[in-house]
Amino acid sequence: MYIFNLMTNNFNSHNLKTIAYSKIVDLTHAIHPNIPIWPGDPATEIATVAQIETDGYFLRKFSMGEHSGTHINAPNSFYAGGVSIDSYSPQSLVVPAIAIDIREQSLANPDYTLTIDDIWAWERQHKLIEPGNLVLLYTGWQEKWDNQGAFFNRDERGICHFPGFGKAATQFLLEERSIAGIGTDTHGVDTGQDESFVVNKLVLEKQRIVLENLANLDLLPAADITLVIGILRLLGGSGSPVSVLAFVA
């Protein structure tokens, strides 16, 4: 067991928080030009600009959308007056988390949505979801990451089919459990066929956290997780690619 001490500054008083962990799981997909890209988003591009042999050092440049790869969404991605990603405090990016496994349901029904009954079933088996936790949803879609066709699972009309959070379940988590946010291993916390992004809007209206395209959720326990989310502090950004580390007790 390892101990990590985190010093935070809240209202001019210093608070020492301790994270006890036995292992660290990286929930981040590697970035390369062939990662799945949301329709209409810019391609991920990487180009070499300096070589050791000719320049004495190695350097590349890259470009990608703010909502590509493992990423976080900010409120201004859906609300004109919403805050941008550079407004998130460091304290808000270190959060306790729990993980709900709906892989079995998702394999049977790619349009499956998390329900309130699923949440109650998780709580009966584990514990009440405490305020300030981030809820991770493991759907099994992370295993499709290297196959863009399977990852988006489009039908003949071009509509995506992948699982996500249900509206009622999200409202329950926000209002009855006061969660810090949500995250999942698909390209959206909303189901693939929900083009209104209702779940994103519900969470971001309250300036909570939305994480998408997470990896390695199968390596997490159901509870006793602490997430450390590393953002790119893009001024005015609607989101950011992120590095997400899970400290597991």
Side-chain angles (χ1 to χ4, degrees):
M1 181 67 69
Y2 303 91
I3 302 294
F4 174 67
N5 291 322
L6 175 70
M7 182 68 77
T8 63
N9 193 324
N10 187 22
F11 299 109
N12 298 319
S13 64
H14 292 286
N15 300 308
L16 185 64
K17 294 183 178 179
T18 299
I19 301 173
Y21 64 97
S22 59
K23 67 175 180 177
I24 303 174
V25 180
D26 192 342
L27 305 185
T28 315
H29 285 291
I31 297 171
H32 57 80
N34 297 319
I35 62 173
I37 299 296
W38 189 262
D41 281 5
T44 299
E45 299 177 343
I46 301 175
T48 299
V49 296
Q51 295 275 22
I52 293 175
E53 295 79 8
T54 55
D55 304 287
Y57 62 94
F58 178 55
L59 174 67
R60 302 189 305 175
K61 66 177 180 178
F62 72 94
S63 65
M64 62 189 300
E66 293 176 327
H67 297 253
S68 295
T70 302
H71 64 273
I72 184 173
N73 300 340
N76 68 340
S77 58
F78 291 102
Y79 297 100
V83 302
S84 53
I85 192 60
D86 56 291
S87 300
Y88 278 65
S89 69
Q91 292 86 352
S92 71
L93 299 171
V94 180
V95 290
I98 64 100
I100 300 177
D101 186 343
I102 60 164
R103 184 174 181 272
E104 185 176 337
Q105 298 96 312
S106 299
L107 288 175
N109 176 14
D111 296 316
Y112 189 82
T113 59
L114 180 74
T115 67
I116 296 175
D117 284 341
D118 291 327
I119 297 168
W120 284 334
W122 186 95
E123 290 185 328
R124 285 193 297 270
Q125 184 176 356
H126 302 286
K127 61 180 180 179
L128 191 74
I129 298 173
E130 298 176 352
N133 268 258
L134 189 144
V135 176
L136 298 170
L137 192 64
Y138 172 47
T139 73
W141 237 246
Q142 64 185 40
E143 285 105 43
K144 304 175 187 287
W145 179 252
D146 292 325
N147 184 334
Q148 183 159 257
F151 193 72
F152 287 112
N153 194 26
R154 295 173 175 278
D155 61 23
E156 63 279 358
R157 297 172 296 166
I159 297 174
C160 298
H161 294 273
F162 53 76
F165 288 81
K167 179 181 178 181
T170 303
Q171 289 175 320
F172 175 84
L173 289 169
L174 289 168
E175 297 168 8
E176 303 298 328
R177 298 295 182 265
S178 299
I179 61 168
I182 58 177
T184 189
D185 56 356
T186 72
H187 214 302
V189 291
D190 298 276
T191 59
Q193 57 183 339
D194 182 3
E195 297 178 349
S196 67
F197 305 110
V198 63
V199 169
N200 255 292
K201 291 175 180 177
L202 283 171
V203 179
L204 294 176
E205 183 181 24
K206 297 182 179 295
Q207 199 179 324
R208 308 293 169 83
I209 293 172
V210 171
L211 297 172
E212 297 172 331
N213 288 341
L214 293 167
N216 297 324
L217 296 185
D218 58 313
L219 301 181
L220 298 180
D224 300 320
I225 305 162
T226 300
L227 299 184
V228 177
I229 305 164
I231 64 170
L232 295 177
R233 202 164 286 280
L234 302 169
L235 188 63
S238 68
S240 162
V242 291
S243 174
V244 184
L245 298 179
F247 290 73
V248 178

